[in-house]
């Protein structure tokens, strides 16, 4: 029976691991990639998507196209049973749970964000993690320019034309540079905006930006950004944020409608649910990239803490979370899995960085290549050439190259496209007999019956008998979502033609916090289950 290798994640680590495994095993192994999207995102190009120099479609490649011979499953990973060697995923429109068995498991899920220590940042900051984040940022910048063009209110115009990026690493520096270039090249189409009214700033808590690069290059980057009108605030953190202001750790209040946060890396909830030990928010692995205590579980990329030498303790003793390292880690994992399957000795991951690159916008960059520092246009040209070569697929490379060429010849597009998103509060209609959800399905909403009725089947865990409950207008079901559950415990079907109101968990909790009557109605039900709703007696005037 062929060895089954399952890769969780379709980013740099996951995609390149699957490709390397296919080359190692050919058709002698079943290789599967599980990813929430059916495409690979080329993360280094997200700032260029946000800045409009390339279109969103050119920063992604279909996984099925670049992973020939690999089974791609578009699904959301829910949990891993390491004893049974099974991954449980939610897939399809109904989000049915499906178990995927494996012989070897590779975890390459990347990282999420955590802004909990900075009130308001989660609610009001734009992120730069996904393709949707970059697309949203571009549309947001255009919206601010459009609003500033027509508003008659000076304070509104000031806030709209103040753009703030938090975080002076690669992502933050490249994002702020691309934002400024897009704004500068667009202002001629907005005659009522004077260039002097635009304020773009970069906030960094550390003493300097680009800590991963030599200090002379960081100094050059600061000079270039400041020369192009970008304010640099060092040794400055974020205290809080609102939809119109950002308060720094120094107490400065900045009127801004645009906050881009490139900080706050944290393990994804699914990684936390796995029960694996975490160190600095990452999964510790040994030098062969194998997770401690698991002979057949491996991890790489942003979600893994990878030592580069024995007894690693300092920050520089571990592999940085960059595409350059992820590609090499993928090759080593594939080689070690092949060695493990064939009973051979595993080899440690060893790689010395060939350098680092950063684009600063306005056709300038900084680079350190094989110990040589390069600045200006040559560094920017090397940056583009390197990432162009790294893009998967000749077709993608040609399209990006054409985009870059056209971008140098004319103005950037200011078209603002809107994409449909399922509203968090919505009506859904069901015909009699329609299944609303089954026991075991993913919890995806809180339901209130508007008209008609539904029937709920709940099995008794002790007797095994099924209790039937009919819920009519005004009744509700799906409360386990509010408790933080990811799985349904009951089966619900439409008893007759009915109309229901569906609400996501976040919206439920927001209503509970802001609407006292709503909160008081559900308080007894939730308190029976040990859940404290947001808001207290002081909100009720008691």
């Amino acid at each position: 029976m062929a060895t089954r290798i399952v890769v969780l994640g379709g980013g740099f680590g996951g995609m390149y691991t699957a490709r390397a495994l296919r080359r190692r095993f050919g058709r002698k192994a079943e290789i599967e990639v599980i990813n929430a999207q059916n495409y690979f995102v080329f993360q280094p190009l997200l700032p260029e998507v946000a800045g409009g120099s390339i279109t969103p479609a050119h920063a992604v490649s279909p996984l099925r196209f670049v992973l020939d011979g690999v089974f791609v499953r578009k699904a959301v990973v829910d949990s891993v049973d390491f004893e049974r060697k099974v991954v449980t995923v939610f897939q399809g429109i109904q989000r049915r749970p499906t178990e995927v068995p494996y012989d070897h498991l590779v975890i390459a899920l990347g990282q999420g964000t955590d802004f909990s220590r900075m009130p308001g940042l989660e609610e009001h900051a734009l992120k730069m993690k996904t393709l949707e984040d970059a697309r949203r940022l571009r549309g947001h910048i255009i919206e601010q320019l459009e609003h500033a063009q027509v508003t008659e209110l000076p304070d509104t115009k000031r806030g709209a034309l103040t753009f703030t990026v938090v975080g002076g690493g690669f992502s933050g520096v490249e994002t702020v540079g691309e934002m400024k270039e897009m704004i500068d090249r667009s202002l001629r189409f907005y005659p009522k905006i004077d260039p002097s009214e635009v304020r773009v700033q970069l906030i960094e808590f550390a003493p300097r930006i680009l800590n991963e690069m030599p200090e002379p290059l960081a100094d050059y980057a600061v000079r270039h950004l400041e020369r192009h009108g970008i304010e640099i605030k060092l040794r400055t953190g974020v205290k809080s944020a609102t939809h119109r202001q950002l308060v720094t750790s120094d107490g400065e209040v900045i009127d801004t409608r645009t906050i881009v946060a490139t900080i706050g890396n944290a393990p994804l909830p699914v990684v936390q649910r796995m029960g694996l030990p975490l160190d600095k928010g990452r999964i510790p692995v040994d030098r062969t990239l194998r997770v401690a205590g698991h002979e057949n579980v491996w991890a790489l990329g942003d979600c893994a803490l990878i030592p580069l030498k024995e007894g690693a303790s300092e920050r520089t003793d571990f592999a940085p979370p960059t595409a350059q390292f992820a590609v090499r880690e993928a090759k080593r994992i594939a080689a070690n899995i092949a060695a493990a399957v064939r009973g051979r000795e595993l080899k440690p991951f060893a790689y010395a960085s060939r350098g680092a690159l950063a684009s600063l916008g306005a056709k300038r960059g900084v680079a350190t290549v094989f110990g040589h520092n390069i600045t200006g246009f040559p560094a920017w040209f090397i940056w583009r050439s390197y990432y162009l070569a790294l893009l998967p697929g000749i077709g993608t490379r040609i399209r990006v190259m054409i985009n870059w060429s056209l971008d140098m010849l004319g103005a950037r597009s200011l078209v603002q496209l809107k994409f449909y998103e399922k509203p968090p509060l919505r009506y859904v209609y069901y015909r009699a007999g329609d299944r609303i959800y089954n026991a075991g399905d993913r919890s995806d909403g809180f339901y209130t019956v508007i008209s008609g009725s539904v029937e709920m089947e709940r099995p008794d865990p002790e007797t095994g008998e099924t209790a039937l409950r009919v819920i009519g207008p005004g009744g509700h079901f799906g409360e386990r979502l509010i408790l933080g559950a990811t799985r349904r415990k009951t089966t619900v079907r439409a008893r007759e033609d009915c109309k229901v109101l569906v609400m996501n968990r976040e919206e439920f909790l927001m209503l509970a916090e802001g609407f006292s009557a709503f909160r008081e109605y559900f308080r007894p039900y939730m308190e029976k289950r040990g859940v404290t709703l947001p808001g207290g007696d002081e909100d009720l005037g008691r």
Side-chain angles (χ1 to χ4, degrees):
M1 187 174 179
T3 301
R4 275 191 55 80
I5 307 171
V6 175
V7 181
L8 306 183
F12 269 98
M15 191 275 284
Y16 277 94
T17 294
R19 292 179 79 176
L21 287 168
R22 174 53 63 199
R23 294 192 186 101
R24 288 274 175 180
F25 285 93
R27 302 289 175 176
K28 296 179 180 179
E30 297 177 15
I31 303 167
E32 177 172 328
V33 169
I34 302 175
N35 198 50
Q37 306 297 338
N38 72 344
Y39 52 79
F40 161 75
V41 180
F42 199 83
Q43 294 277 345
L45 293 185
L46 289 185
E48 302 231 347
V49 173
S53 65
I54 64 173
T55 65
H58 295 150
V60 296
S61 299
L63 284 172
R64 288 182 174 83
F65 178 77
V66 298
L67 295 178
D68 184 36
V70 174
F71 185 85
V72 176
R73 185 187 300 268
K74 183 179 181 295
V76 176
V77 179
D78 177 62
S79 59
V80 179
D81 188 328
F82 295 108
E83 290 187 7
R84 295 175 54 222
K85 295 195 290 189
V86 165
V87 178
T88 300
V89 302
F90 290 117
Q91 61 186 33
I93 297 174
Q94 291 291 335
R95 292 304 191 193
R96 290 289 298 159
T98 302
E99 292 189 342
V100 180
Y102 66 84
D103 295 311
H104 284 269
L105 180 69
V106 180
I107 304 172
L109 290 167
Q111 285 201 310
T113 55
D114 178 16
F115 301 140
S116 59
R117 291 176 295 177
M118 294 158 280
L121 203 62
E122 176 65 41
E123 292 80 4
H124 302 295
L126 298 162
K127 304 173 185 177
M128 277 296 287
K129 285 283 188 181
T130 67
L131 182 69
E132 176 58 25
D133 291 338
R135 189 197 65 78
R136 181 185 173 196
L137 176 55
R138 176 184 174 276
H140 177 85
I141 294 171
I142 296 172
E143 179 63 27
Q144 300 315 301
L145 295 178
E146 294 288 347
H147 194 41
Q149 169 74 9
V150 297
T151 185
E152 301 294 333
L153 303 173
D155 59 334
T156 298
K157 188 175 187 179
R158 181 175 62 251
L161 294 178
T162 301
F163 303 85
T164 305
V165 176
V166 181
F170 286 109
S171 180
V173 168
E174 293 180 350
T175 297
V176 77
E178 287 295 327
M179 284 173 57
K180 186 61 165 63
E181 183 172 3
M182 177 184 179
I183 294 167
D184 288 346
R185 294 175 60 176
S186 302
L187 287 183
R188 66 188 180 97
F189 300 106
Y190 297 92
K192 290 196 173 183
I193 300 177
D194 189 277
S196 64
E197 297 178 288
V198 177
R199 184 184 182 192
V200 180
Q201 51 194 339
L202 178 67
I203 296 177
E204 169 56 45
F205 186 72
R208 70 180 181 94
I209 64 174
L210 297 175
N211 273 307
E212 299 84 353
M213 303 192 83
E215 192 165 356
L217 295 184
D219 293 340
Y220 173 89
V222 168
R223 292 195 301 272
H224 170 81
L225 295 175
E226 289 180 336
R227 189 164 56 248
H228 284 78
I230 298 173
E231 302 174 38
I232 310 292
K233 294 179 180 293
L234 301 176
R235 296 183 175 87
T236 304
V238 174
K239 185 176 180 181
S240 63
T242 69
H243 73 297
R244 291 186 176 181
Q245 293 180 328
L246 181 142
V247 181
T248 71
S249 56
D250 299 331
E252 180 184 2
V253 179
I254 301 170
D255 290 333
T256 177
R257 300 287 183 87
T258 306
I259 304 172
V260 185
T262 64
I263 59 173
N265 286 335
L268 291 168
V270 63
V271 173
Q272 293 176 315
R273 289 197 301 271
M274 289 179 184
L276 295 172
L278 296 178
D279 185 357
K280 301 179 180 65
R282 299 181 183 179
I283 302 171
V285 298
D286 62 24
R287 293 203 60 203
T288 67
L289 305 178
R290 187 156 54 183
V291 177
H294 298 271
E295 293 295 317
N296 60 343
V297 181
W298 317 74
L300 76 160
D302 293 6
C303 70
L305 186 65
I306 303 171
L308 296 176
K309 66 179 184 179
E310 298 299 332
S313 59
E314 301 297 324
R315 178 184 177 185
T316 54
D317 295 340
F318 297 91
T322 64
Q324 179 185 168
F325 271 80
V327 172
R328 273 71 183 187
E329 292 158 13
K331 293 179 179 179
R332 175 43 51 200
I333 272 191
N336 280 345
I337 291 177
V341 170
R342 294 160 186 161
R344 297 174 182 170
E345 183 182 358
L346 309 185
K347 294 183 180 180
F349 173 70
Y351 177 71
S353 174
R354 297 179 181 177
L357 309 163
S359 172
L360 305 176
K363 301 181 181 62
R364 296 295 183 271
V366 288
T368 172
V369 182
F370 296 112
H372 299 286
N373 292 345
I374 306 170
T375 60
F377 179 82
W380 176 80
F381 183 79
I382 293 172
W383 183 93
R384 284 205 161 181
S385 299
Y386 174 75
Y387 284 121
L388 189 67
L390 201 58
L391 278 167
I394 185 66
T396 302
R397 295 172 194 161
I398 292 173
R399 286 190 290 271
V400 169
M401 188 163 55
I402 291 174
N403 259 248
W404 278 341
S405 300
L406 294 175
D407 178 62
M408 291 189 289
L409 298 177
R412 292 185 178 178
S413 172
L414 294 174
V415 173
Q416 214 177 352
L417 297 177
K418 297 291 185 181
F419 293 84
Y420 173 77
E421 294 181 359
K422 185 184 293 185
L425 188 67
R426 59 199 181 275
Y427 288 120
V428 180
Y429 294 84
Y430 293 99
R431 294 184 62 194
D434 282 353
R435 181 187 68 220
I436 298 177
Y437 58 72
N438 279 342
D441 284 1
R442 183 186 187 190
S443 297
D444 62 350
F446 169 74
Y447 296 75
T448 300
V449 180
I450 304 299
S451 64
S453 63
V454 303
E455 55 184 20
M456 174 185 290
E457 297 178 2
R458 181 188 296 275
D460 189 313
E462 296 181 0
T463 65
E465 296 181 357
T466 299
L468 188 65
R469 174 189 169 200
V470 177
I471 305 172
H476 48 80
F477 57 97
E479 292 89 351
R480 281 182 55 78
L481 173 80
I482 312 307
L483 308 180
T486 62
R487 299 284 197 94
R488 298 296 189 187
K489 289 291 188 181
T490 60
T491 296
V492 180
R493 293 184 178 84
R495 189 166 181 262
E496 55 185 314
D497 291 356
C498 63
K499 173 184 177 182
V500 301
L501 177 68
V502 185
M503 185 187 311
N504 291 349
R505 181 175 189 271
E506 291 76 12
E507 282 62 42
F508 180 97
L509 294 177
M510 289 166 67
L511 279 173
E513 185 172 16
F515 188 25
S516 60
F518 185 91
R519 178 173 65 250
E520 291 309 303
Y521 174 81
F522 281 99
R523 189 189 299 277
Y525 179 88
M526 292 298 151
E527 287 180 347
K528 287 181 181 178
R529 290 154 176 80
V531 176
T532 302
L533 289 176
D537 290 344
E538 64 275 8
D539 298 321
L540 304 177
R542 298 176 185 172

